[in-house]
Structure formats: structure tokens, C-alpha cells
Amino acid sequence: MAQGTPGQTGQSLLFLTDEQLRKGIEAMFFAYRGFTADPDRILSDQGYGRAHHRAIHFIHRSPGTTVNNLLSVLGVTKQSLNRVLRTLIEDGLVASTVGKRDKRERHLTLTETGAALERSLSDAQRDRMRHAYRTAGPEAVAGFRQVLEAMMDEEMRFYYDALKDQSDER
Amino acid sequence: MAQGTPGQTGQSLLFLTDEQLRKGIEAMFFAYRGFTADPDRILSDQGYGRAHHRAIHFIHRSPGTTVNNLLSVLGVTKQSLNRVLRTLIEDGLVASTVGKRDKRERHLTLTETGAALERSLSDAQRDRMRHAYRTAGPEAVAGFRQVLEAMMDEEMRFYYDALKDQSDER
DNA sequence: CTTGGAATGTCAACAAGGCTGACGTATCTT
DNA sequence: AAGATACGTCAGCCTTGTTGACATTCCAAG
């Protein structure tokens, strides 16, 4: 566009000092600690860890998802996931049902008990998120989301946007 | 204040659906993965992990900081920190000097080599942060910071704001 | 029908990085 | 002199990540 206008759009001219960037980096570090603190507390009482939380969260989000699907979203090895999944199934929090169309696949869903734990975990996390959102205000929230989305790897943004699939035909 | 005004400030009336909050939660999850990905890659080549990165970062930020200080900021046990710190000192990345005023204390600083590693790590992380900031724009950045700050635990916000101290008299 | 490959599960071994508990030493502080 | 503080260390445990090897089951192509 016009050349002489001093960077108001923020797109072209945006001076970012190392100090500003460091502050952002530390904000991520400290905020993430707060972000995980509440669920971590709940989980450690029951002998579970953050890995269990992640599995439960994404199974809740996409009921009937397959193991492979979960693997991609979580970005861990199947051995790691399997260990976590096994205890969740043994403890009756997650149900694993053989696929109908493809019987090699296992479709994962939360049981009643599993859904109850999920609720208590995400309630805690949502409370904190809600508090942060309310404190910062709606415009800040929009900015928050924009920056985080720009910070993700391409591949992760795909899962971030997409994950709503595999609805039917188990 | 006035009662009839529909929530424009975002402070009083702010409807937040579970769906909106979930999206925020997942944004944190996926973004944090991206946030740590680059340093993790660099570190794993050298036999270090994320714990080393954190130590190096905060020693760089507060040169001459004490072990106890670092403990509080990082929120780990001294045994955990010591393991990391020992290897960093052995490998000549961190220097530990006895306190002048209080000889029980050890003051930690980065050596030349340590500072070099710190630079390569924070360069990578800053590049990603800069990219995210530029993509999202300055207003988004302000919002991003506001939300993150509201998400921290009180105690952590203290360190987030404060850490600039212990300058003198080692 | 047979066979190749995909999806899943399992066993074993290992490492990083958290944790607790206990103990020792040096050094302040009272 | 006694107690508190700062630090280091030994030992042991847990979660959660990794690799590698291998079995099973099943779909689909030939």
C-alpha cells in the first residue's frame, strides 16, 4: 500500500525487541504451569498423570476415535499411549470396541466413570480459562487465540481445526 | 456501575460456552508443543533436555542468581535441579561461585559456552515467537499477554513480573 | 485361496526428569 | 552454644517418553 505510513497495521513494520519476545516466552512458560496445575492435582490423587488427562480429553472430544488417530493427535509412540490406555481400560474409564467395518481398529469411548472424571478435569481447567478470559476481556481473547494459532506447527493446526470427524459407523 | 448496559466491557457480562473454552484449552496444548519443539530438537542433539533449557534460560535472565532462587522460579525440588545443574557445571556451561556476603550461597552464571548455547536456544524460540507475533499483529499480542498473565498462579506472576533483582553484591 | 501389508497389541529395556526421605557440612543468626 | 538456612548427595520410586522385536488379526489385491 502506501509507503510512508509508520507501521500501524503491524503486518509490515513491527519492531520486536528481544526483551518483548523474552517476556512472551516466559508468559508461555508460567501460564502453561498454571494451565496444567489444577488437573494435575486432581489426577495425582488417583494415580494418574498428565498423559491420562490428554488421552481422556481427546477421547471425550472425538468419541469412537481410533488408536492411530489418537497417536497422531497426541504425538507420542503407540507404546507410550498403550500403557496409559491399558490402565484406563482396566480401570473401566475407557471402553475399547472392535470396529464394525474394519475389525482391526479399536474405537475408544469414555464410560460413565470416565466421563465423570473428564468432567471434573475439564471443569477445573475451564474455570481457570474462564477466569483468564473474563479478566482479560473479549478482545484480548481473540488476540490470544490468534497468537497461539500462529505458534503451532502446521501439522498440529490441522488437528486443532479438524478434529470433529470419524463420527459414524463404528 | 450502570445496570442496563449490555456487556461491552467484557468484565461483567461475558458468555463463554464450553466449546469456546475447549478451543482455548486445545490452543494452549498445541501451541505449547510448537513452542518447545525447536529448543527440544537442539537440545536432544547434545544430550540435554527441557530441564536444562529452563535452567539455562533463567540463569541467563538473572546472572548470579542463587540455587534457592532458581528452585522457586522453576518450581522443582532441589534434587531434580541439582541433577541438571551438576551436568551443566561439569560440562562447563554454568559457573558456580561461592557467595561473598553469605558463603553458604552459590551464585550461578553462564560461561561463554553456556551463553552460546543459550543464544542458539532462545534464537530458535524467539524466531517462532516473532513469527507468531507478526502474523497475529500487535493488538493480538497485547491480548495474548493479558490472557496468559491472568492464567498464571499468583505466585508465578510474582516471578514473572519481578525477576530482575539480585543484581549486586555477590 | 493365498499373501502382503496395515492396524493393533505386547514384551523388554532404557532414559529423562519429576518426587520423597534421610543425611552431612558449612555457614549464618540468635 | 543452639538452631536455622543453603546446599549437595545418596538411594529409591514413579510417570512418561523412547527403540526394537515380534505376534496377531484382518482387509484387499492378485
Side-chain angles (χ1 to χ4, degrees):
Chain A
M1 326 285 181
Q3 44 144 197
T5 55
Q8 306 238 39
T9 63
Q11 289 293 54
S12 44
L13 288 174
L14 222 189
F15 284 134
L16 294 168
T17 65
D18 281 4
E19 191 58 15
Q20 284 175 294
L21 294 168
R22 187 182 64 79
K23 207 69 177 158
I25 287 169
E26 294 191 5
M28 277 298 281
F29 172 71
F30 287 123
Y32 197 77
R33 282 256 291 279
F35 172 70
T36 55
D38 306 320
D40 280 357
R41 258 191 297 277
I42 297 173
L43 286 158
S44 70
D45 293 345
Q46 325 200 198
Y48 295 134
R50 208 174 288 177
H52 298 85
H53 183 193
R54 292 198 277 259
I56 289 174
H57 174 96
F58 285 107
I59 292 173
H60 169 75
R61 175 192 173 162
S62 310
T65 187
T66 65
V67 174
N68 248 4
N69 239 306
L70 213 46
L71 244 39
S72 316
V73 177
L74 295 177
V76 297
T77 59
K78 65 177 174 174
Q79 292 89 336
S80 258
L81 176 59
N82 193 256
R83 181 171 32 200
V84 164
L85 230 36
R86 200 190 319 155
T87 74
L88 290 176
I89 292 171
E90 278 169 7
D91 297 355
L93 301 182
V94 167
S96 163
T97 64
V98 175
K100 199 173 194 177
R101 219 186 50 182
D102 187 336
K103 291 179 188 166
R104 290 167 304 178
E105 295 182 341
R106 301 295 132 88
H107 295 280
L108 305 168
T109 46
L110 295 183
T111 63
E112 268 306 307
T113 333
L117 178 56
E118 193 283 328
R119 234 169 288 129
S120 88
L121 291 171
S122 66
D123 277 355
Q125 205 158 38
R126 268 198 300 264
D127 282 352
R128 187 183 286 259
M129 191 64 70
R130 186 162 24 228
H131 167 261
Y133 274 18
R134 289 217 164 110
T135 304
E139 287 148 39
V141 169
F144 165 74
R145 289 268 299 269
Q146 281 170 45
V147 173
L148 288 189
E149 283 163 26
M151 209 181 319
M152 296 175 195
D153 283 338
E154 267 306 321
E155 198 195 341
M156 288 304 109
R157 199 170 311 122
F158 172 76
Y159 290 114
Y160 174 72
D161 294 331
L163 247 94
K164 50 181 71 123
D165 33 72
Q166 76 264 96
S167 36
D168 42 326
E169 59 191 297
R170 53 195 67 143
Chain B
M1 327 287 179
Q3 46 147 190
T5 55
Q8 306 237 40
T9 63
Q11 290 291 54
S12 45
L13 289 174
L14 222 187
F15 284 134
L16 293 167
T17 65
D18 282 4
E19 191 58 16
Q20 284 176 293
L21 295 167
R22 187 182 63 78
K23 208 68 177 161
I25 287 169
E26 294 189 5
M28 277 297 281
F29 172 71
F30 288 122
Y32 197 77
R33 281 255 292 277
F35 172 70
T36 55
D38 305 320
D40 281 357
R41 258 189 297 277
I42 297 173
L43 285 158
S44 72
D45 292 346
Q46 324 201 198
Y48 295 134
R50 208 174 287 178
H52 299 83
H53 183 194
R54 293 198 278 258
I56 289 174
H57 174 96
F58 285 106
I59 294 173
H60 169 75
R61 175 193 172 162
S62 308
T65 188
T66 65
V67 173
N68 250 1
N69 239 308
L70 212 47
L71 244 38
S72 315
V73 177
L74 296 177
V76 296
T77 60
K78 67 174 174 175
Q79 292 90 332
S80 265
L81 176 58
N82 193 255
R83 182 170 30 200
V84 165
L85 229 37
R86 200 189 318 160
T87 72
L88 289 176
I89 292 171
E90 277 170 7
D91 298 355
L93 300 183
V94 168
S96 163
T97 64
V98 174
K100 200 174 197 176
R101 218 185 50 180
D102 186 336
K103 290 179 188 164
R104 291 170 304 177
E105 295 181 339
R106 299 297 132 87
H107 295 281
L108 304 168
T109 47
L110 294 182
T111 63
E112 268 307 306
T113 333
L117 177 56
E118 194 283 329
R119 233 168 290 129
S120 87
L121 291 172
S122 65
D123 278 355
Q125 206 158 37
R126 269 198 300 265
D127 282 352
R128 187 183 286 258
M129 190 64 69
R130 187 163 20 232
H131 167 261
Y133 274 18
R134 290 217 163 109
T135 304
E139 288 147 39
V141 169
F144 164 75
R145 290 267 299 267
Q146 282 170 43
V147 173
L148 289 188
E149 283 163 24
M151 208 180 321
M152 295 175 196
D153 283 337
E154 267 306 320
E155 198 196 339
M156 287 305 110
R157 200 170 312 121
F158 171 77
Y159 290 116
Y160 174 72
D161 295 331
L163 248 95
K164 53 184 71 142
D165 32 73
Q166 79 264 96
S167 34
D168 42 326
E169 55 192 301
R170 57 195 65 146

